[in-house]
């Protein structure tokens, strides 16, 4: 295994501003009686139900507006993968912790990524039998924060962060693709999303979308909003496709307006990132 192969097989498939290609959350979240009206993307009721008060899709579109202010905490969970972090636009900073694989994995990865414009750092930990056998990997397990050259990570969704597009999961893009939605309770919704144009969202990559084929146009989802109408949870339920089992992508948002600035790593814990690190994530 080479560093470049590792990057393609582990990072591109599972990270966050990268995308979580395989994720899971508890429950299907498709509750709702047959009497619950279904609303199409245009806001009209389907023939199976009477018109509902308000527009469920518009409520979900509006629920993502607060995310754009860039002051919140978020999490993405998945099959062997977790991401959690915070975005603090007022200080132009963000931080996230990423874990892929577990103790029994042949190769597991943990990253502690900090962005404090104009600087970025990543602390990388790789473990497992493969990590111990690869000389390239050993050079990366420095136990310190590696300072990143912004010119080398610009446009890199694995290591970079765009403070003009502050939502790592791209929920606003995803909700734009809603094709059907119904209310399932106070602040709760369910329906389908066309994810064919959602690769830019960050929570799905192009390969995953392509593998779904025509199913990508009707991916089931559930969503919740908080008492202020802000998105608190969005779950995509990806159907089985080819050799890939059915999976779920779950993203949550909290602490709107109450996140704090990221903390820069101590100077004595920082080294410049070696060329091997950039190769891994490219």
């Amino acid at each position: 295994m080479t560093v470049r192969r590792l990057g393609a097989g582990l990072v591109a498939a599972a990270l966050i501003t990268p995308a979580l290609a395989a994720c899971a959350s508890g429950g299907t979240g498709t509750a709702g009686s047959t009497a619950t009206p279904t609303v199409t993307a245009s806001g009209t009721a389907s023939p199976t139900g009477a018109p509902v008060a308000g527009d469920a899709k518009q409520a979900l579109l509006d629920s993502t507006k607060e995310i754009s202010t860039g002051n919140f905490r978020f999490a993405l969970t998945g099959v062997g993968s977790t991401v959690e972090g915070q975005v603090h636009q007022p200080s132009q900073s963000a931080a996230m912790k990423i874990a892929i694989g577990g103790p029994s994995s042949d190769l597991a990865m943990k990253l502690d990524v900090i962005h404090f414009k104009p600087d970025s750092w990543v602390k990388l930990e790789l473990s497992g039998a493969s990590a111990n056998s690869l000389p390239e990997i050993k050079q990366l397990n420095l136990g310190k924060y590696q300072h990143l050259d912004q010119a080398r990570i610009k446009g890199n969704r694995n290591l970079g962060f765009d403070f003009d597009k502050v939502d790592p999961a791209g929920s606003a893009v995803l909700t734009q693709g809603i094709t059907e939605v119904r209310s399932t309770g106070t602040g709760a919704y369910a329906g389908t999303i066309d994810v064919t144009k959602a690769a830019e969202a960050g929570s799905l990559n192009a390969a995953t979308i392509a593998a779904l084929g025509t199913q990508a146009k009707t991916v089931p989802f559930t969503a919740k909003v908080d008492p202020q109408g802000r998105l608190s949870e969005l779950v995509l339920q990806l159907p089985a496709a080819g050799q890939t089992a059915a999976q779920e992508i779950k993203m949550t948002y909290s602490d709107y307006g109450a996140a704090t600035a990221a903390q820069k790593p101590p100077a004595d814990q920082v080294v410049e990132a070696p060329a091997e690190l950039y190769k891994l994530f490219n």
Side-chain angles (χ1 to χ4, degrees):
M1 178 186 291
T2 65
V3 168
R4 186 168 295 278
R5 181 180 171 191
L6 169 66
L10 232 180
V11 181
L15 291 185
I16 143 188
T17 309
L20 285 176
C23 306
S25 64
T28 61
T30 56
S33 69
T34 56
T36 303
T38 299
V39 180
T40 65
S42 63
T44 58
S46 73
T48 60
V52 294
D55 185 338
K57 181 178 180 180
Q58 190 60 50
L60 288 177
L61 291 174
D62 292 343
S63 75
T64 66
K65 290 180 178 179
E66 186 67 20
I67 296 174
S68 65
T69 64
N71 193 329
F72 57 87
R73 294 183 181 276
F74 69 93
L76 292 167
T77 58
V79 178
S81 302
T82 61
V83 182
E84 59 181 22
Q86 64 189 54
V87 177
H88 192 251
Q89 180 74 293
S91 63
Q92 294 275 275
S93 68
M96 54 198 76
K97 294 182 182 296
I98 304 161
I100 304 169
S104 60
S105 301
D106 182 57
L107 183 62
M109 176 185 291
K110 291 183 179 180
L111 299 98
D112 185 351
V113 186
I114 299 173
H115 301 285
F116 211 120
K117 201 171 181 179
D119 293 300
S120 296
W121 304 264
V122 60
K123 186 176 183 180
L124 177 67
E125 178 184 335
L126 291 161
S127 59
S130 293
N132 295 330
S133 65
L134 296 174
E136 305 102 315
I137 299 303
K138 292 180 179 179
Q139 296 181 53
L140 301 177
N141 279 329
L142 303 176
K144 292 189 175 184
Y145 286 92
Q146 301 178 62
H147 181 257
L148 301 169
D149 179 349
Q150 293 297 309
R152 300 179 72 173
I153 66 171
K154 186 176 182 180
N156 186 319
R157 300 187 75 182
N158 295 322
L159 294 177
F161 190 87
D162 187 349
F163 282 98
D164 292 324
K165 299 177 181 178
V166 295
D167 182 10
S171 294
V173 174
L174 290 169
T175 54
Q176 288 285 347
I178 290 175
T179 53
E180 185 181 3
V181 60
R182 63 186 180 277
S183 172
T184 58
T186 302
Y189 303 90
T192 57
I193 292 180
D194 179 351
V195 300
T196 59
K197 299 179 181 179
E200 64 182 275
S203 48
L204 282 175
N205 61 24
T208 301
I209 296 171
L212 291 173
T214 58
Q215 296 181 105
K217 293 184 175 293
T218 55
V219 172
F221 80 93
T222 59
K224 296 178 181 178
V225 300
D226 66 15
Q228 289 73 44
R230 303 169 300 194
L231 186 67
S232 59
E233 178 182 288
L234 179 62
V235 180
L236 301 181
Q237 300 159 351
L238 302 183
Q243 299 300 312
T244 304
Q247 304 167 34
E248 293 183 350
I249 295 176
K250 179 179 180 180
M251 53 207 82
T252 61
Y253 299 87
S254 62
D255 291 344
Y256 284 104
T260 57
Q263 297 297 307
K264 297 180 181 180
D268 61 355
Q269 293 296 309
V270 174
V271 296
E272 285 299 318
E276 288 78 11
L277 183 80
Y278 298 103
K279 291 179 181 178
L280 172 65
F281 289 92
N282 286 327

Coordinates of all heavy atoms in Angstrom, one line a residue, residues 91-127:
S91 N -14.4 34.8 14.6 CA -12.9 34.8 14.7 C -12.2 34.2 13.5 O -11.0 34.0 13.5 CB -12.6 34.0 16.0 OG -13.0 32.7 15.9
Q92 N -13.0 33.8 12.5 CA -12.5 33.1 11.3 C -11.7 31.9 11.8 O -10.6 31.6 11.3 CB -11.6 34.1 10.5 CG -12.3 35.2 9.9 CD -12.9 34.9 8.6 OE1 -12.2 34.9 7.5 NE2 -14.2 34.6 8.6
S93 N -12.4 31.1 12.6 CA -11.7 29.9 13.1 C -12.7 28.7 13.1 O -13.9 28.9 13.1 CB -11.2 30.0 14.5 OG -12.2 30.2 15.4
A94 N -12.2 27.5 13.0 CA -13.0 26.3 13.1 C -12.1 25.1 13.6 O -10.8 25.2 13.4 CB -13.5 25.9 11.7
A95 N -12.7 24.1 14.2 CA -11.9 23.0 14.7 C -12.8 21.8 14.5 O -14.0 21.8 14.7 CB -11.6 23.2 16.2
M96 N -12.1 20.7 14.2 CA -12.9 19.4 14.1 C -12.0 18.2 14.4 O -10.8 18.2 14.2 CB -13.5 19.2 12.7 CG -12.5 19.4 11.6 SD -13.3 19.7 10.0 CE -13.7 21.4 10.1
K97 N -12.6 17.2 15.0 CA -11.9 16.0 15.4 C -12.6 14.9 14.5 O -13.8 14.7 14.5 CB -12.1 15.7 16.9 CG -11.3 16.7 17.7 CD -11.4 16.3 19.2 CE -10.7 17.3 20.1 NZ -9.2 17.4 19.8
I98 N -11.8 14.1 13.9 CA -12.2 13.0 13.0 C -11.6 11.7 13.4 O -10.5 11.6 13.7 CB -11.8 13.4 11.5 CG1 -12.3 14.8 11.1 CG2 -12.3 12.3 10.5 CD1 -11.6 15.4 10.0
A99 N -12.5 10.7 13.4 CA -12.0 9.3 13.7 C -12.6 8.4 12.7 O -13.8 8.4 12.4 CB -12.4 8.9 15.1
I100 N -11.7 7.6 12.1 CA -12.1 6.6 11.1 C -11.6 5.2 11.5 O -10.4 5.1 11.7 CB -11.6 7.0 9.7 CG1 -12.1 8.4 9.3 CG2 -12.1 5.9 8.6 CD1 -11.4 8.9 8.1
G101 N -12.4 4.2 11.6 CA -12.0 2.9 12.0 C -11.8 2.8 13.5 O -11.9 3.8 14.2
G102 N -11.7 1.6 14.0 CA -11.6 1.4 15.5 C -10.4 0.6 15.8 O -9.5 0.3 14.9
P103 N -10.3 0.1 17.1 CA -9.1 -0.6 17.5 C -8.9 -1.9 16.7 O -7.7 -2.4 16.6 CB -9.5 -1.0 19.0 CG -10.4 0.1 19.4 CD -11.2 0.4 18.2
S104 N -9.9 -2.5 16.2 CA -9.8 -3.8 15.5 C -9.5 -3.6 14.0 O -9.3 -4.5 13.2 CB -11.0 -4.6 15.6 OG -12.2 -4.0 15.1
S105 N -9.5 -2.3 13.5 CA -9.3 -2.0 12.1 C -7.8 -2.3 11.7 O -6.9 -2.1 12.5 CB -9.6 -0.6 11.8 OG -11.0 -0.3 12.1
D106 N -7.7 -2.7 10.5 CA -6.3 -2.9 9.9 C -5.6 -1.6 9.8 O -4.4 -1.5 10.0 CB -6.4 -3.6 8.6 CG -5.0 -3.8 8.0 OD1 -4.2 -4.5 8.6 OD2 -4.7 -3.3 6.9
L107 N -6.4 -0.5 9.6 CA -5.9 0.8 9.5 C -6.9 1.8 10.1 O -8.0 1.9 9.6 CB -5.5 1.2 8.1 CG -4.8 2.6 7.9 CD1 -3.5 2.6 8.7 CD2 -4.6 2.9 6.4
A108 N -6.6 2.5 11.1 CA -7.5 3.5 11.7 C -6.8 4.9 11.7 O -5.6 5.0 11.8 CB -7.8 3.1 13.2
M109 N -7.6 5.9 11.6 CA -7.1 7.3 11.5 C -7.8 8.2 12.5 O -9.1 8.1 12.6 CB -7.2 7.8 10.1 CG -6.8 9.2 9.9 SD -7.1 9.8 8.2 CE -5.9 8.8 7.3
K110 N -7.1 9.0 13.2 CA -7.7 10.1 13.9 C -7.0 11.4 13.5 O -5.8 11.5 13.3 CB -7.5 9.9 15.4 CG -8.3 8.7 16.0 CD -8.0 8.6 17.5 CE -8.8 7.5 18.1 NZ -8.6 7.4 19.6
L111 N -7.8 12.5 13.4 CA -7.3 13.8 13.0 C -7.8 14.8 13.9 O -9.0 14.8 14.2 CB -7.6 14.1 11.5 CG -7.1 13.2 10.4 CD1 -8.1 12.3 10.0 CD2 -6.6 14.1 9.3
D112 N -7.0 15.7 14.3 CA -7.4 16.9 15.0 C -7.0 18.1 14.2 O -5.8 18.4 14.0 CB -6.7 17.0 16.4 CG -7.1 18.1 17.3 OD1 -7.9 19.0 16.8 OD2 -6.7 18.2 18.4
V113 N -8.0 18.7 13.5 CA -7.8 19.8 12.5 C -8.2 21.1 13.1 O -9.3 21.2 13.6 CB -8.5 19.5 11.2 CG1 -8.2 20.5 10.2 CG2 -8.3 18.1 10.7
I114 N -7.4 22.1 13.0 CA -7.7 23.5 13.5 C -7.4 24.5 12.4 O -6.4 24.4 11.7 CB -6.8 23.8 14.7 CG1 -7.0 22.9 15.8 CG2 -7.0 25.3 15.1 CD1 -6.0 23.0 17.0
H115 N -8.4 25.3 12.1 CA -8.2 26.4 11.2 C -8.4 27.7 11.9 O -9.4 27.9 12.7 CB -9.3 26.3 10.1 CG -9.3 25.1 9.3 ND1 -8.3 24.8 8.4 CD2 -10.1 24.0 9.4 CE1 -8.6 23.6 7.8 NE2 -9.6 23.1 8.4
F116 N -7.4 28.6 11.8 CA -7.5 29.9 12.4 C -6.9 30.9 11.3 O -5.7 31.1 11.3 CB -6.8 30.0 13.7 CG -7.4 31.0 14.7 CD1 -7.8 30.6 15.9 CD2 -7.5 32.4 14.3 CE1 -8.4 31.5 16.8 CE2 -8.0 33.3 15.2 CZ -8.5 32.8 16.4
K117 N -7.8 31.3 10.5 CA -7.4 32.1 9.3 C -6.3 33.1 9.6 O -6.5 33.9 10.6 CB -8.6 32.7 8.6 CG -8.4 33.1 7.2 CD -9.7 33.5 6.5 CE -9.5 33.8 5.1 NZ -10.8 34.3 4.4
P118 N -5.2 33.1 8.9 CA -4.9 32.4 7.7 C -4.1 31.0 7.9 O -3.5 30.5 6.9 CB -4.0 33.4 6.9 CG -3.2 34.0 8.0 CD -4.1 34.1 9.2
D119 N -4.1 30.5 9.1 CA -3.3 29.3 9.3 C -4.2 28.1 9.5 O -5.4 28.2 9.9 CB -2.4 29.5 10.6 CG -1.3 30.5 10.4 OD1 -0.5 30.3 9.5 OD2 -1.3 31.5 11.1
S120 N -3.6 26.9 9.3 CA -4.3 25.6 9.5 C -3.2 24.6 10.1 O -2.1 24.7 9.7 CB -4.9 25.1 8.3 OG -5.9 25.9 7.8
W121 N -3.7 23.7 10.9 CA -2.9 22.7 11.5 C -3.6 21.4 11.5 O -4.9 21.4 11.6 CB -2.4 23.0 12.9 CG -1.8 24.4 13.1 CD1 -0.4 24.6 13.2 CD2 -2.4 25.6 13.3 NE1 -0.2 25.9 13.4 CE2 -1.3 26.6 13.5 CE3 -3.7 26.1 13.4 CZ2 -1.6 27.9 13.7 CZ3 -4.0 27.4 13.6 CH2 -2.9 28.3 13.8
V122 N -2.9 20.3 11.5 CA -3.5 19.0 11.6 C -2.6 18.1 12.5 O -1.4 18.1 12.3 CB -3.8 18.3 10.3 CG1 -2.5 18.1 9.5 CG2 -4.6 17.0 10.5
K123 N -3.2 17.4 13.4 CA -2.5 16.4 14.2 C -3.1 15.1 13.8 O -4.3 14.8 13.9 CB -2.7 16.7 15.7 CG -1.9 15.8 16.6 CD -2.2 16.2 18.1 CE -1.3 15.4 19.1 NZ -1.5 15.8 20.5
L124 N -2.2 14.2 13.4 CA -2.6 13.0 12.8 C -2.1 11.8 13.6 O -1.0 11.7 14.1 CB -2.0 12.9 11.4 CG -2.2 11.6 10.5 CD1 -3.7 11.5 10.2 CD2 -1.4 11.7 9.3
E125 N -3.0 10.8 13.8 CA -2.7 9.6 14.5 C -3.2 8.4 13.6 O -4.4 8.3 13.3 CB -3.3 9.5 15.9 CG -3.0 8.2 16.6 CD -3.7 8.1 17.9 OE1 -4.0 9.2 18.5 OE2 -4.0 7.0 18.4
L126 N -2.3 7.5 13.2 CA -2.6 6.3 12.5 C -2.2 5.1 13.2 O -1.2 5.1 13.9 CB -1.9 6.4 11.1 CG -2.4 7.4 10.1 CD1 -1.3 7.7 9.1 CD2 -3.7 7.1 9.5
S127 N -3.1 4.1 13.3 CA -2.8 2.9 14.0 C -3.3 1.7 13.2 O -4.0 1.8 12.2 CB -3.5 3.0 15.4 OG -4.9 3.1 15.2

